[in-house]
């Protein structure tokens, strides 16, 4: 949920490769379970929450201080791995901006 209400598979694959030591699970393996449970749906290369209320609830279940740290880690990881991909750079910048907000 820290990436937003929808995210493309390429970004998830990038994060899965770069953060395999940080996450206690494989992001890609968990997607099918989230789809089966009705939390996410797949539309082409995009994974999105099935409803805004589900997205909001899951996001708010993460303690604010932990959410902030997740945004920082995601932003720095994406920035480092982005190469010349402007979309990834933009997402990384968004993540860092969320981290910096209210600091």
């Amino acid at each position: 949920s820290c990436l937003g209400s929808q995210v493309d598979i390429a970004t998830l694959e990038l994060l899965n490769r770069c953060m395999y030591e940080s996450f206690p699970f494989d992001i890609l393996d968990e997607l099918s379970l989230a789809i089966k449970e009705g939390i996410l749906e797949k539309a082409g290369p995009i994974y999105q929450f099935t409803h805004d209320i589900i997205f909001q609830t899951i996001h708010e279940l993460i303690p604010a201080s932990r959410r902030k740290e997740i945004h920082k880690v995601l932003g720095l990881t994406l920035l480092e791995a982005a190469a010349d991909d402007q979309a990834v750079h933009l997402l990384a910048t968004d993540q860092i901006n969320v981290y910096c907000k209210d600091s």
Side-chain angles (χ1 to χ4, degrees):
S1 70
C2 287
L3 290 169
S5 62
Q6 64 181 25
V7 64
D8 65 86
I9 187 67
T11 301
L12 293 172
E13 289 171 342
L14 177 65
L15 285 171
N16 208 45
R17 279 193 313 274
C18 296
M19 299 185 74
Y20 66 91
E21 291 178 6
S22 301
F23 287 147
F25 56 88
D26 184 305
I27 297 169
L28 302 176
D29 287 346
E30 301 301 322
L31 293 174
S32 60
L33 178 60
I35 291 169
K36 182 179 176 183
E37 295 293 326
I39 296 168
L40 294 177
E41 61 188 3
K42 188 170 191 260
I46 304 291
Y47 287 87
Q48 60 192 23
F49 284 91
T50 55
H51 198 283
D52 291 339
I53 292 172
I54 293 174
F55 163 69
Q56 184 178 12
T57 301
I58 289 173
H59 194 71
E60 290 174 0
L61 283 172
I62 304 168
S65 61
R66 180 70 180 127
R67 234 180 7 244
K68 188 170 181 143
E69 186 62 26
I70 290 169
H71 286 295
K72 175 185 172 186
V73 170
L74 288 173
L76 294 174
T77 301
L78 289 168
L79 192 59
E80 188 174 303
D84 294 328
D85 189 327
Q86 285 188 321
V88 175
H89 272 274
L90 181 59
L91 181 57
T93 302
D94 288 344
Q95 292 294 311
I96 293 168
N97 284 339
V98 171
Y99 166 73
C100 291
K101 185 179 177 185
D102 302 325
S103 288

